Amino acid sequence: MNEILLIEKVEEELNIPEVIDRVIKNLGGIETVFKDFNKIILKPNFVLSRSYKSGTTTNLKIIESVIDAVQNAGKEAIVMESSGWGYSLHNNPMIIGFRKILKDRNIKFIDPLSAEMEKIPVNNGFLHKTVKVPRILKEIPSSEIEIFTEKGWK
């Protein structure tokens, strides 16, 4: 698999949709990158209940813009996130605010800790020969796009 690193400077939060659109176009467009896939899982990285300016979470505008681009390409966006770093997913203010974005766009939200799990083999596994993953991950081949800004990976 070829790896691509795209670096885009975000001047201000207002131009995030424009920057996301430019990054996606530079990758060849969602229709090309995900031509064989109808469902795309996004993992936003809400590690802590902090502002994206702390560098520990993803700016909601970035996730919103990626969701819009996925839907505009005729694909189904699914968001998957779980609790972490001592906070509950269900009372994290970041998630509570994000629920409106998901609801407005009719986006499925998956908490892998409460999802139906399935064991899969780990090829050449040293410590583990199998691992449990949310069943939906077996149903959807994965690709990952990471966006790097001047503040770091988002």
Side-chain angles (χ1 to χ4, degrees), residues 87-132:
Y87 78 88
S88 167
L89 176 68
H90 304 289
N91 64 12
N92 178 341
M94 180 80 68
I95 296 291
I96 292 168
F98 191 50
R99 285 187 181 137
K100 180 177 180 349
I101 294 170
L102 299 176
K103 184 177 180 185
D104 289 350
R105 289 163 176 75
N106 196 29
I107 300 295
K108 183 189 289 185
F109 183 87
I110 298 170
D111 176 355
L113 299 178
S114 62
E116 188 175 343
M117 304 296 274
E118 186 170 318
K119 271 187 182 180
I120 61 168
V122 176
N123 295 333
N124 302 315
F126 180 72
L127 292 175
H128 301 282
K129 301 298 180 198
T130 62
V131 65
K132 287 184 179 180

Side-chain angles (χ1 to χ4, degrees), residues 60-102:
L60 291 179
K61 200 72 173 159
I62 290 173
I63 299 300
E64 182 178 25
S65 298
V66 172
I67 287 171
D68 289 345
V70 167
Q71 288 186 320
N72 289 340
K75 308 289 184 177
E76 179 184 355
I78 299 169
V79 173
M80 184 168 67
E81 185 60 277
S82 63
S83 301
W85 289 91
Y87 78 88
S88 167
L89 176 68
H90 304 289
N91 64 12
N92 178 341
M94 180 80 68
I95 296 291
I96 292 168
F98 191 50
R99 285 187 181 137
K100 180 177 180 349
I101 294 170
L102 299 176

Side-chain angles (χ1 to χ4, degrees), residues 49-61:
S49 183
R50 294 187 181 161
S51 165
Y52 69 90
K53 292 178 182 179
S54 70
T56 59
T57 61
T58 303
N59 184 322
L60 291 179
K61 200 72 173 159

